[in-house]
Structure formats: C-alpha cells, structure tokens
Amino acid sequence: MNDATVHQEPSYLGAPYGLAAWLLTKDHKRIAILYLISITIFFAIGAGFAATIRAELVTPQGDLVTADLYNKLFTLHGVVMIFFFLIPSIPAVLGNFFIPIMIGAKDLAFPRINLLSWYIYVIGAVITLSVVISGGLDTGWTFYAPFSSISSNTDVTTAAVGVFITGFSSILTGFNFIVTVHRMRAPGMTWFRLPLFVWANYATSLIFILGTPVVAITVLLVAAERGLHLGIFDPRIGGDPVLFQHLFWFYSHPAVYIMILPGMGVISELVANVSRKQIFGYSFVAFSSIAIAIIGFLVWGHHMFVSSQSIYAGLVFSIITMLVAVPSAVKTFNWTATMYRGSITWDSPLFWVLGFMGLFLVGGLTGLFLGTMGLDVHLHDTYFVVAHFHYIMVGGGVTAFLGGLHFYWPKMTGRMYSEPLAKVSAMLVFFGFNLTFFPQFILGYMGMPRRYHAYPPEFQVLNVMSTGGAMVLGTGYFLILIYLLYSLFKGPKAPANPWGATGLEWQLQSPPITHNFHEIPVVTEEAYDYLHAPAPQLAIPASPREVTHE
Amino acid sequence: MSSSLPLFPLSASTVSGEVDTLFFFILGVSAFFAILVSALMLYFTFKYRSKKAGDAGADIHGSLTLELIWTGIPFILAMVMFVWGAQLFFTMAKPPADAMDIFVVGKQWMWKVQHPEGVREINEMHVPINRPVRLTLGSEDVIHDFFIPAFRVKMDVVPGRLTTMWFTATTVGEYHIFCGQYCGTRHSGMIGTVVAMMPDDYEAWLAGGRTTGSAVQNGERLFTDLSCITCHKADSSGRGPTLGGVFGSTVQLNDGRRILADENYLRESIMTPQAKVVQGFQPIMPTFQGLVSEENLMQLIAYVKTLKPAETAPVPVKK
C-alpha cells in the first residue's frame, strides 16, 4: 500500500480540466470541493455580519448602524451561518469526500443526485441572499411568527422560499448517505468496522431526512400567511403563534445535532489517530450518535419553557433534555479514555482535538443550565443562550470541521501546510473563541437579552472584551485561510499517509484517483487497528523516486 | 450586591436567591467535570507522549464497567438537576392566592402597566415589597417577553392569549425591565424600570396617581357601553349565559367538552366567541376583535371576575 506514495497516478484533481468539467462532475470528491469553496464564501459573508455586530456592541448606544440594519445583520448572520455554512459543512464537504472512500466504494450511491444537491443548495442560498438587495430580512434566523408573518417590513417571503429550497439539498444528501452506507460497503466492511465518522454522518442523515421537511413546510406556512393571509400563526385571523414555535423547533433543535454530530465523528477519528490507539468503547460511541439523533427529536419544547406552553409539557421536555446530555457525556469520557496509555503524537491534529474538547465541554455543560426549567426562566433569550450555542456550534462544530479539514487536507489536495502555523492558529482560535464568548455567559446571567442593538452601560466592559476576542478569533480563521491557500501552490507534496492513520482513505494515494479504488478492497480488520498502522510521515522521504510526479 | 463590579445581577425577589443557589449547584457540577476531563486529557497528552514515531498505544478496547459508571453518574446528576429545576419552576408558575394584580400590555415598542386601582404608567412599574404581585400579560401585536433580571423571572407576552407571572420583591430599589423576545426595530428600546417601594410609599404613590377609575369600574362601564349586558343578564333571561360566578367554574360546552373558565377562556369568548359555545345557547355572539384593546379586555375580565353567582347585575337595564 505504501507504494502509492511513489507511483503517482493522475488524481481526481487533474483531467478532465476546465470549469465545465468541474461544474458537471459526478465525482463525490469534486462535489466536496465545490461545497468547500461555497461554504468558505458563505462563512466569510457570515463572519462579516458578525464583525459588524461586534463593532456595534462596543458602545452601549446604538451608534454604528441603525436599529433596523442591526436587526438585519444578526438575522442574516444566523441564516447564512446555519443554513449555508454549518449544516452543510462537515457532511457535505468531509462526508461527501470520505464516506465512499471509508467504506470502500467508488462513489456515492447516486452521483447525479449528489451534484443536484449542490445546485439546489447554491440556488437556495442565492435566492435567500438576494434579500440583501430586496429589503433585507429582520426576523432573526428563527422566523418567529406572528412577527415574521404580519409585522416585519422586510422580504421574508423570498428568504422563506430560499430556505425552503435549500432544505431539499439536505434531504437529498442525507438520503444519498443512508443508501450508500447500507448498500455500498466493501466486502468485509461490517457495520461495526465502520469508522465512527461514518456512524456520525449516518445519524446526521436521519435527522436531515426526518427533520428538514418540517422546517421547510413551516417557513412556507409563514410565507403563505404573509402572502395569502391564511390564518395559521396570527391569532387575529384564527392562528396560533405558539404552534409556529413547536413546528420550528421540531426541526431546529435536531438541527443543532446536525451541526455537532458530524463534528463528534471527526473528533473520534482524530482522537484515535493522535492517541495511536483503538477508540475506547467503539460501540458506545457509535450508538451514542444514534441515541442523540433519536432523543434529539423529543426535546424541542425546551426552547419554550416561558412561551406559555403547558407546564406539564415543559416537564416532559426538560427530563428528555437531561437524558440527551448523557450520550454526549459518554462520548466525552470515551475520548478521554482513548488517550489513556496512548502514544500521543504532538502534530497539529492534537491541537484541534484539545481545542474541541475544551470548547465542547463548556458548551455541553452549559446546556444543563438551560435544560433546568427553574433556571431557564432567567436565562432564556439572554446572552447565556448565545454563548451556549456558539460554544456548541462554533467551538464544537467549527473547531471539529477545521480539525477535520487539517487532518484530511493532505489527502484532499495532495499538499502539506505549515505545521507550526497550524498549531499557532489552533491556539489563536481557542483563546480568541473563549475571549469572545465566555464573557457572554456572564452577560447572560446578568440579564442582557440577546438581539439588543443598544444596552445599559453596566454591560459595556464585558461586551468590549467579547469584541476584542472576536478580533483574535477572526485573525485565527484568516491565518488558516492564508496558509491553506498557500499550501495549494507552494506546499510540499503530501505522502499517502502523513499521520500514520488507519482506514481505507489512507491507503490511497494523495490525492486519490477519480474512481478511488482500482479494485474494491476487502476489509479484514476492525477500525482503528493502530497496532498495525504505519508510522506518521509528514513529508515524502527524500529518495530518487520521489520526483516522478506527473 | 453592589453594581460597581458588574459580574453578577442584583438579587431582589423571593425566588432570586433560590435560582442563584441552583445556578451555583449546576456551576459546581459543571466545573468539576470540565476540570476533571480537561486535566485528564492534558495529563495524558504529556504523560503518554509518543516516544518513537510509529509506536502504537496500549491494546485497550473498552470497559463495560467504566461505561456503566460514566453513563450512570451523569444520569443521576442530570435527574437531580431536573427535579430541583422543575420544583423551582412550579413555584414560579403558581402565584399565591393572595397576590395583588397588575395588568401589563406589550406593544411595539412599549410596556403599558395598569394597576387595579386605575393608575397607569408606561415603561415603569411601581410595586410594593414583601407582597406577591401577579402580572397578567397581553400583547397588542407580536410576541414580547417581560423580563426582570433582578427578580429572575420572565414570561412571554403572546398575542391572542393572556399569560401570567408573579414575584415578590424583597428589596427597595429600581430594576431593569427588558423585552426578552425579539419584536422588531426598537426591541432593545422596549425596556423599563420596576420601582420596588416600601408598602406605605406604594400606597402613597398610588393615591397620588391620576386615575380614570379602577380596572373593575372601567370594566363595568365597558360592559354597558359595549352592550354586553343586553344579552348577559344577571338572571337567566338573556340570550347569552349569565356571567355571575362563571370565573373559576367549570363550563359545559355544546360540543360536550367541559372546561375551566379562566382568564384565557373569558378572553377567547370575547374575541372569538364561536370557538367555545356554552351548552344551551346559540352561537350568535359577534366578535369584539378590533373593538376592544388588550387593556379594555383586561378591564372587562377584571369586572367579570367580580360578578358573584345569583347576584343582580349592578346596572339594571330595561328595554
């Protein structure tokens, strides 16, 4: 298998060349790259909105932007980051690229549908973002009715149509992944030999398929009430505003798990690799993903403890919320135990693992505060909630995505990036993130409500700290963009298996050939068999044969 | 308690201390686990640093005992938090029987407060300390949320229904009122002040306030002005059911359901009368939507709540 490093064949990145060949590709790896480029653009747009929000909040007065513009900024920040960056990030980029390879397949089950997913995603995103020139959107990403249906003067209908369309992209991707995992595993690749990344994406796909239709219909109902005055949510025409919240959170709470479950999958791969050890409690980690996906569908009412829903309904939602914390705790303990008596490599993936763990711990544990009814009354809709979900979705989700991107970058691009810069940026992201969002927990407990354009002066010091942290965080993210782009042109060529990792993906050359495998492999080992893994090899060893590329 | 070091909110109600205790309990548990896991990971990172490239870690696959332990302990702790939090929530959700009433209406973007005695204020709410206060909340437009951080209480203010919350202030002072639920352009301007006063000061303040009659008096006037009284007579001769003693009673509907006549039932019966029709009556009552404001509604309800069974209506009307 190590021969792949020396006898390079033309990779998927090469022929056929040209824009048309890329835009009409059915290769899951190229589609993953298309997604990577798209989500990077949307991340940059969403980050721009965030930067403006943080700049506004430096002073208590609303003085940098108007109240209306501020409301549009945080709305689009949420919409873009959630629907067009976080939800597709790990599944559509790393999942698309690696699920077929990890299970020993030449592509996903439905390559054309895979390409269709990307087009639907782009069309939905463009339609949604077109509101920027047609009046903006000021409903918050939560689209709460009846504000969104009768009160907002912005272009809610267009945004709703855009989000509705984008939903089909998720549904098709989930459907594709599920069929692929069921039908296309290589001989010997049993369910319990699957990498945990595949389990996590499988669980995520269940949520895509079961949850997305509900939110798609919900936003369409908002548009229908706005345009056709159907009485669905507005009580003046016979609707029920609390019904909207039930429908919306039925999807949008599981959607949080869409944003973190794939990250948990990435971290399982990385923890095993940096520890050079079988993952501790494989089946517990695998089934906890499924448990989270299922139980996660039954907790939506914890967003509604003070919405006037029945207090007995609140009881049920609170206890199930507490239950869903358990599988996340189980995963965390298993990752920690994996490192016990490992052989820890201090390459850049370790830094992402540790960063993820620190941030995810805080994010997960603060969920306990919010699931506790008597405490949530005070914390609901304050900055405590903002801090909590950023710790989960950005501290957990984005850090895992970046960890995965760094881990798989050599495989995807065939290039190595600067290890020292990667370590520095991982630390910048960790410290910048904490400085940005930890003060927001304190602000929240002090009572500062979210979505406030102006605020009482006693909240200023913590807000200034938060904005300072955001600058550090932004620098970290920007640094990553720079050295990864630089590596594409000037980075050293990557060996087949730089991290000395297990798994079929590391037996292919870097970058892989278009059809991944010449022959479908036969799998004879369990996942993470590090007792027989090769040593890490961050550069291609100097040898006369090395210069044979192309 | 000083606000000069702004890291912790003022605590000024009977429940705020209990909320803080629960907060510190969960904070303690969380800090313990966060530090435990982080410390272990860092310790392992240094202790088991790879000696030679390619060395594998120990051949360990898992341990059922450990899995049971670290499933069981978090489960038990989570259940403790659940029970504790639920108990506290039930305390916060059930106002004491002797609570005084204040009516609050939210609209884009202001709070209108009305005391039972008739005094009204905007974006301010004067309350006596050491006396339970029950707020009845309504919205003129979209969802708002009435949030008093120093009291650790908050409740959504939902159009189309009335919601309630309660608190007992314990310390004289002025505290923030925030709108917690995003409601449009001036959401962050929909703020106000609770002024908690000594009971005597509160009485003096009430006496000095201008009033156009108490809530009940206003409700009684509306009951006549809107001709409610034409059909809802004190005896059973009206075309609508008599309202004496209806509040708090169980009503038999013509579709067979039996429901409790609470504030929301009264509100719905005025705004959408066809939704629930009392057994034995025709669905002939017109809607009053658009004719009565949320404040008027609260006055009408305050009045209806005072009607006793078999009592003659205070204003006799004859054809």
Side-chain angles (χ1 to χ4, degrees):
Chain A
M1 65 182 83
N2 286 328
D3 288 353
T5 55
V6 285
H7 302 302
Q8 281 282 13
E9 294 179 61
S11 80
Y12 81 98
L13 289 170
Y17 293 101
L19 195 60
W22 275 84
L23 292 180
L24 297 174
T25 183
K26 296 187 287 292
D27 179 357
H28 66 103
K29 299 183 291 300
R30 284 191 169 199
I31 295 169
I33 301 294
L34 291 177
Y35 267 112
L36 177 59
I37 294 166
S38 326
I39 68 163
T40 306
I41 292 168
F42 289 117
F43 180 77
I45 294 172
F49 294 140
T52 319
I53 291 167
R54 284 309 333 157
E56 166 62 63
L57 293 176
V58 168
T59 55
Q61 307 80 21
D63 43 13
L64 182 67
V65 295
T66 63
D68 276 326
L69 180 56
Y70 182 82
N71 295 342
K72 291 172 184 174
L73 284 168
F74 75 68
T75 298
L76 284 176
H77 168 70
V79 168
V80 168
M81 286 300 203
I82 289 172
F83 293 111
F84 306 124
F85 171 71
L86 280 165
I87 288 177
S89 63
I90 295 180
V93 178
L94 300 176
N96 236 333
F97 200 110
F98 287 103
I99 287 174
I101 299 180
M102 283 177 168
I103 67 172
K106 293 189 174 182
D107 206 319
L108 286 171
F110 305 102
R112 285 183 185 80
I113 290 179
N114 195 21
L115 182 64
L116 179 64
S117 301
W118 181 72
Y119 274 100
I120 292 174
Y121 158 77
V122 171
I123 291 168
V126 168
I127 290 175
T128 308
L129 275 181
S130 75
V131 300
V132 170
I133 50 172
S134 67
L137 177 69
D138 74 344
T139 61
W141 83 276
T142 45
F143 291 97
Y144 262 32
F147 178 76
S148 58
S149 61
I150 61 163
S151 179
S152 172
N153 290 318
T154 57
D155 194 359
V156 179
T157 307
T158 303
V161 170
V163 169
F164 177 79
I165 291 173
T166 311
F168 286 93
S169 166
S170 295
I171 295 169
L172 292 178
T173 299
F175 160 68
N176 218 340
F177 284 179
I178 287 178
V179 174
T180 304
V181 174
H182 274 275
R183 303 295 303 162
M184 298 183 66
R185 282 171 288 124
M189 179 55 89
T190 61
W191 281 88
F192 290 98
R193 286 178 179 167
L194 286 174
L196 290 163
F197 178 76
V198 178
W199 274 98
N201 275 284
Y202 183 88
T204 308
S205 300
L206 292 176
I207 305 176
F208 275 147
I209 289 185
L210 296 175
T212 317
V214 179
V215 77
I217 290 164
T218 309
V219 293
L220 213 57
L221 289 174
V222 167
E225 183 162 280
R226 247 183 113 78
L228 309 173
H229 303 287
L230 296 176
I232 300 159
F233 305 125
D234 176 11
R236 280 183 288 187
I237 46 177
D240 180 354
V242 179
L243 173 66
F244 174 86
Q245 297 172 34
H246 281 292
L247 291 173
F248 180 81
W249 289 116
F250 179 81
Y251 164 77
S252 294
H253 191 79
V256 175
Y257 298 112
I258 290 178
M259 298 178 241
I260 192 64
L261 270 172
M264 292 167 156
V266 167
I267 292 302
S268 296
E269 301 297 314
L270 265 61
V271 167
N273 177 258
V274 301
S275 310
R276 302 196 57 75
K277 194 161 155 286
Q278 168 65 248
I279 201 96
F280 194 95
Y282 171 97
S283 54
F284 287 89
V285 179
F287 280 116
S288 61
S289 289
I290 305 292
I292 289 169
I294 293 171
I295 304 173
F297 268 107
L298 304 172
V299 301
W300 77 88
H302 69 210
H303 296 267
M304 302 168 58
F305 289 148
V306 297
S307 71
S308 77
Q309 82 175 348
S310 147
I311 56 178
Y312 301 100
L315 268 185
V316 175
F317 287 121
S318 176
I319 194 167
I320 302 175
T321 300
M322 289 307 188
L323 287 180
V324 82
V326 175
S328 297
V330 167
K331 276 188 196 285
T332 308
F333 290 126
N334 277 296
W335 290 325
T336 311
T338 301
M339 295 178 75
Y340 170 70
R341 292 183 60 199
S343 173
I344 315 283
T345 53
W346 282 34
D347 300 323
S348 57
L350 173 72
F351 289 71
W352 294 108
V353 167
L354 294 178
F356 169 90
M357 289 300 298
L359 301 179
F360 178 70
L361 271 171
V362 175
L365 288 164
T366 49
L368 295 170
F369 293 74
L370 295 167
T372 305
M373 301 171 83
L375 203 44
D376 181 68
V377 171
H378 178 60
L379 295 173
H380 178 76
D381 269 338
T382 67
Y383 262 84
F384 194 95
V385 178
V386 176
H388 160 71
F389 70 69
H390 279 89
Y391 264 86
I392 294 284
M393 291 170 0
V394 184
V398 178
T399 306
F401 171 68
L402 290 173
L405 190 65
H406 280 77
F407 189 63
Y408 291 115
W409 186 260
K411 182 58 63 187
M412 295 169 78
T413 66
R415 300 287 184 158
M416 300 301 291
Y417 47 82
S418 158
E419 271 283 300
L421 280 180
K423 292 173 184 173
V424 167
S425 66
M427 288 190 281
L428 274 181
V429 166
F430 182 78
F431 289 112
F433 184 91
N434 279 305
L435 187 55
T436 309
F437 291 103
F438 203 84
Q440 296 185 6
F441 284 123
I442 304 169
L443 279 172
Y445 202 75
M446 287 172 69
M448 180 168 166
R450 61 193 291 203
R451 297 170 170 176
Y452 262 32
H453 169 235
Y455 56 82
E458 66 261 33
F459 298 140
Q460 187 176 12
V461 174
L462 290 161
N463 270 296
V464 170
M465 285 171 67
S466 183
T467 301
M471 293 164 74
V472 178
L473 183 61
T475 308
Y477 287 146
F478 191 67
L479 184 61
I480 295 168
L481 180 71
I482 298 298
Y483 68 71
L484 286 184
L485 284 178
Y486 178 85
S487 78
L488 288 181
F489 303 101
K490 302 279 186 178
K493 295 219 169 4
N497 193 356
W499 317 111
T502 63
L504 294 173
E505 67 273 27
W506 300 106
Q507 297 177 16
L508 308 180
Q509 69 173 36
S510 300
I513 61 169
T514 298
H515 293 292
N516 303 342
F517 304 96
H518 286 298
E519 285 173 28
I520 296 298
V522 176
V523 179
T524 54
E525 298 153 350
E526 58 184 2
Y528 315 113
D529 181 19
Y530 273 95
L531 291 177
H532 303 102
Q537 190 186 36
L538 294 191
I540 296 175
S543 85
R545 291 187 296 175
E546 187 221 339
V547 289
T548 55
H549 179 66
E550 292 176 356
Chain B
M1 297 296 284
S2 159
S3 60
S4 61
L5 182 68
L7 291 176
F8 204 75
L10 297 171
S11 171
S13 79
T14 48
V15 298
S16 57
E18 294 180 55
V19 173
D20 291 345
T21 308
L22 178 55
F23 174 76
F24 283 116
F25 169 71
I26 301 181
L27 187 63
V29 171
S30 300
F32 172 77
F33 280 101
I35 292 168
L36 175 75
V37 173
S38 310
L40 280 175
M41 280 212 145
L42 283 176
Y43 175 71
F44 294 159
T45 298
F46 283 90
K47 163 95 175 167
Y48 300 114
R49 184 172 182 176
S50 196
K51 305 279 189 305
K52 183 163 70 64
D55 275 356
D59 188 16
I60 303 171
H61 283 231
S63 154
L64 184 61
T65 315
L66 278 177
E67 299 288 350
L68 291 176
I69 290 172
W70 62 48
T71 305
I73 291 177
F75 173 77
I76 291 165
L77 285 169
M79 287 305 109
V80 171
M81 291 172 196
F82 161 72
V83 172
W84 189 340
Q87 276 180 339
L88 184 54
F89 185 82
F90 271 68
T91 307
M92 295 161 92
K94 294 267 184 345
D98 61 341
M100 59 176 268
D101 274 305
I102 295 181
F103 309 108
V104 177
V105 173
K107 60 176 286 190
Q108 289 168 327
W109 292 275
M110 65 196 289
W111 296 108
K112 297 199 284 189
V113 176
Q114 184 180 189
H115 295 258
E117 296 77 5
V119 180
R120 300 178 189 199
E121 358 179 26
I122 287 180
N123 293 342
E124 277 204 354
M125 183 169 76
H126 288 72
V127 295
I129 63 166
N130 299 330
R131 185 168 168 200
V133 176
R134 174 179 181 272
L135 305 183
T136 302
L137 307 147
S139 166
E140 295 269 1
D141 36 50
V142 300
I143 302 177
H144 303 281
D145 178 284
F146 199 74
F147 176 28
I148 308 169
F151 297 168
R152 313 284 188 272
V153 291
K154 115 166 13 95
M155 187 68 205
D156 275 7
V157 183
V158 184
R161 65 178 68 175
L162 297 173
T163 57
T164 55
M165 65 193 281
W166 77 276
F167 57 82
T168 305
T170 54
T171 314
V172 170
E174 298 193 356
Y175 310 105
H176 288 300
I177 298 168
F178 292 134
C179 178
Q181 182 63 57
Y182 173 69
C183 59
T185 306
R186 297 251 307 126
H187 169 54
S188 65
M190 196 167 163
I191 61 179
T193 309
V194 182
V195 183
M197 313 170 89
M198 296 300 290
D200 291 348
D201 295 341
Y202 175 72
E203 295 303 330
W205 175 85
L206 263 188
R210 284 199 320 194
T211 158
T212 52
S214 73
V216 173
Q217 285 166 339
N218 281 319
E220 184 179 344
R221 202 185 66 240
L222 285 164
F223 201 77
T224 309
D225 290 354
L226 295 167
S227 304
C228 311
I229 198 159
T230 342
C231 298
H232 295 287
K233 295 183 178 176
D235 53 31
S236 55
S237 65
R239 286 185 293 171
T242 177
L243 299 181
V246 69
F247 180 77
S249 70
T250 304
V251 178
Q252 177 74 50
L253 302 182
N254 64 0
D255 60 6
R257 283 183 293 168
R258 292 168 62 80
I259 53 129
L260 175 71
D262 57 7
E263 280 105 339
N264 268 316
Y265 168 74
L266 297 181
R267 187 195 184 285
E268 183 185 51
S269 298
I270 296 167
M271 302 304 262
T272 42
Q274 317 295 328
K276 296 190 177 81
V277 179
V278 177
Q279 192 172 45
F281 292 88
Q282 296 300 311
I284 52 170
M285 178 170 158
T287 175
F288 285 79
Q289 195 154 280
L291 296 175
V292 289
S293 67
E294 290 294 327
E295 283 171 294
N296 293 158
L297 261 174
M298 290 181 185
Q299 291 163 345
L300 274 169
I301 291 168
Y303 170 66
V304 170
K305 284 163 78 171
T306 64
L307 297 177
K308 300 284 185 299
E311 188 182 300
T312 48
V315 185
V317 173
K318 295 285 169 211
K319 290 199 189 105

